[in-house]
Amino acid sequence: MKSKTKKTVTNKKLTDLQKNTENGSNEFLTTNQGLKILDNQNSLKAGDRGPTLLEDFIMREKITHFDHERIPERIVHARGSAAHGIFEAYGNISKYTKAGFLQAGRKTPVFVRFSTVAGSRGSTDLARDVRGFSVKFYTDEGNYDLVGNNMPVFFIQDAIKFPDLIHAVKPEPHNEIPQAASAHDTFWDFISIMPESMHMIMWAMSDRAIPRSLRMMEGFGVHTFRLINEAGKACFVKFHWKPLLGVHSVAWDEATRISGKDPDFHRRDLWEAIDSGAFPQWEFGVQIVEEKDEHKFPFDLLDPTKLIPEELVPVQLIGKMTLNRNPDNFFAETEQVAFHPGHLVPGIDFSNDPLLQGRLFSYTDTQLSRLGSPNFHEIPINRSVNTVHNNQRDGHMRQQINSAKSAHDPNNTMSGCPFQAGKKDGGFSSYTERIDAAKVRARSQSFFDHFSQATLFFNSQSDAEKNHLTNAIRFELSKVQTPAIRERVLGLLTQVDKKLAADVADALGIKVPAGPVGVMNMSVPADADPKKFQPIKVDQKLKSSAALSMANTKKDSIKTRCVAVLAADGVDDIALHSLLAALVKEGATYKVIAPKLGNIKGVSGAAVKADQSLLIATSVVYDAVFIAGGEKCVKALIAEPDALHFAEEAYKHCKPIAAGTGAEEFLHTTYIGTVMSSNNYDAVSDGIVIQGKGSVASAFIGAIKQHRFWNREIARQIPA
Ligand code: HDE
């Protein structure tokens, strides 16, 4: 035990000695005052069967601390998962920005937090929701936070509506139901009278809202920002994160089942990937618009319900982010990290997007009540790598011991220190935008086209994606209890796509309205002319945009994909090991699932370890299924209803399925066999790989790269 060494306390050494030791290291248990604890199992009592004494300061301290362990959760984005990493800039961007961390060759540590928006801290990862994508860059010019989402637009155009939006989507106030879900009256009531939300609704009802993994999501800064170069010249910019693994989602039915089987699915997936060295990566991209081109688009760059189609302004990739380290402590890092869109560095500035402007106030304000002190910047995860020098002092939980004799600026007492920095020393200066305007509560007419980009998004989706989106709105509106809300939403949908509206109406058993129901936009200020608030639809010419569909994402790798292997005694272990070696070589992982835990016997006489039993295994957390071959093994699996259900469920969710020698018989025992026996059945386009028809390994790998065979779902629904 290290603590036995005696330390001499001198005044000079006091602060060094005060450094906290790590919990769990080779040390004695102590109180918070450093007193060694003799007995941590029994409270102090009057006799061994007597009452506990108030005097027991050791127990009181322990329980008091415990009583106060929880802090208020974030009002939005409460459930999150985070990781450390590194950002490496490689683009030639100096023409547009002087931000040091964006210059080619620079490496900057980052901390990234992903989140859902509506649910509480303990809610499920797979809720249909927007995902937060916040990045803190610890640059040598100060911390820069890019606090974005996995969708490039937002529900509302002005920050003043944000509390209403969130009150509407959160559980209803009278009974706190439902948790982490938008499928309820208050949310859709708000949407039905807020036509500006229609574009975002298309994204939120698409499969983007149920990602396969946090590692397979795009990220967007959402607002238009400004970049500023050394000469002080500005341009507009939109920020993008593009995942190297492509953008992929699960099926809605699958999402609902994952929520029960493994509510930590995304958190676990991120943790395990980083833990195993399969570091998630994103490329960082910018869409740049010169100031002179600000008004050349059929939408307003300041409107956060609009994106800039990549066909109009391509994304230039200028850096790569790698997440390579899990947090050491969830609370200290993931929970206490405090992001703020106003944490800027020289070379980046705001635009006048009215949603962004409102955020600039909110984020510091919320940390004051969440983290409890204006000193939240001193929490280790929030500290700048630059030493902080200023005259701010004191407050709850102050960590820094400022030794200076005075704390005012300007001063003579400290010979003027700390000094203001000139521009050449890296001093931040806001972009000198000319503003000459009347003070009004108003919105520009250029914000009133609420539908054309919603239509653009819908038109850009593949048939399967359109199908999913339609079903998502059907699902949500079926949960809505008030018929008038359903009707109003349908009225708005007619403005996006007539067939979409008709298909949704059909499932609700009502007639599709001819157009908007009643006054389309009820968010009109008192005394204003309602005509000025009615939506317009500008012809945006571009009819579809490839980047908006996940069908066009990268499908070139099976890295980190997890394959479920169903096996039992008598498995053809030689063939199995060769298939597994091929999968692992390509970066995939696998789990062997057997009727029970322990070892299963291979035909070669060797044992194969079962990672999971059918009792706890579930198909929904896997990307693909392999039914191992071997006569006895196949017979044993056929006798297991859970194994049959496992395969049928994977088929229902459009996952690739491969069968080893003789395992075709297993498939024929399931509903999949009925499908396979139908005329003109094409196993390849259905993602089914059978041993004996070419190399199983390469065909299976090819199928896993495709992620899902959604066409299967349209052609035939399967009862599983
Ligand atoms: Fe946020 N948002 N937000 N938001 N937001 C918060 O700050 C807010 C908005 C986003 O992982 C809160 O520290 C207002 C858009 C993310 O810790 C709060 C408005 C976008 C996160 C807040 C918006 C976001 C937050 C709650 C309308 C995408 C999680 C806890 C003007 C660009 C950050 C906190 C993390 C968190 C306010 C709109 C993204 C209350 C007022 C648009 C990713 O300050």
Side-chain angles (χ1 to χ4, degrees), residues 482-492 508 510-511 513 515 517:
T482 312
I485 297 176
R486 295 189 191 141
E487 248 190 280
R488 294 193 67 86
V489 175
L490 281 173
L492 292 180
L508 299 177
I510 51 179
K511 263 181 68 188
V517 179

Side-chain angles (χ1 to χ4, degrees), residues 612-688:
Q612 286 186 339
S613 71
L614 283 167
L615 185 67
I616 62 149
T618 170
S619 83
V620 291
V621 300
Y622 293 98
D623 292 294
V625 181
F626 179 68
I627 321 292
E631 203 183 324
K632 221 177 125 205
C633 162
V634 172
K635 290 235 158 4
L637 290 176
I638 288 174
E640 288 285 346
D642 284 346
L644 302 174
H645 175 71
F646 195 102
E648 284 177 343
E649 197 179 48
Y651 186 85
K652 180 185 174 101
H653 299 143
C654 306
K655 297 174 183 177
I657 298 176
T661 319
E664 194 171 348
E665 190 191 335
F666 172 92
L667 294 182
H668 278 289
T669 321
T670 67
Y671 193 83
I672 307 166
T674 323
V675 177
M676 289 168 70
S677 310
S678 58
N679 286 341
N680 302 325
Y681 178 72
D682 176 13
V684 176
S685 67
D686 209 27
I688 300 289

Side-chain angles (χ1 to χ4, degrees), residues 31-91:
T31 65
N32 286 338
Q33 302 307 317
L35 175 75
K36 287 178 198 156
I37 295 176
L38 184 75
D39 180 349
N40 193 36
Q41 317 302 321
N42 297 293
S43 52
L44 189 67
K45 301 182 196 79
D48 60 2
R49 298 183 61 249
T52 301
L53 302 178
L54 189 60
E55 178 195 319
D56 189 351
F57 63 92
I58 295 179
M59 182 187 71
R60 277 202 335 266
E61 182 202 79
K62 185 176 176 184
I63 291 186
T64 307
H65 193 279
F66 168 77
D67 290 345
H68 297 265
E69 273 173 12
R70 287 290 164 271
I71 60 170
E73 64 174 33
R74 288 165 172 83
I75 170 69
V76 280
H77 297 266
R79 181 165 177 86
S81 309
H84 294 270
I86 194 87
F87 174 75
E88 193 169 358
Y90 59 67

Side-chain angles (χ1 to χ4, degrees), residues 333-350:
E333 300 176 276
T334 310
E335 195 60 13
Q336 292 202 115
V337 66
F339 292 95
H340 192 328
H343 290 166
L344 285 189
V345 287
I348 304 182
D349 208 340
F350 315 121

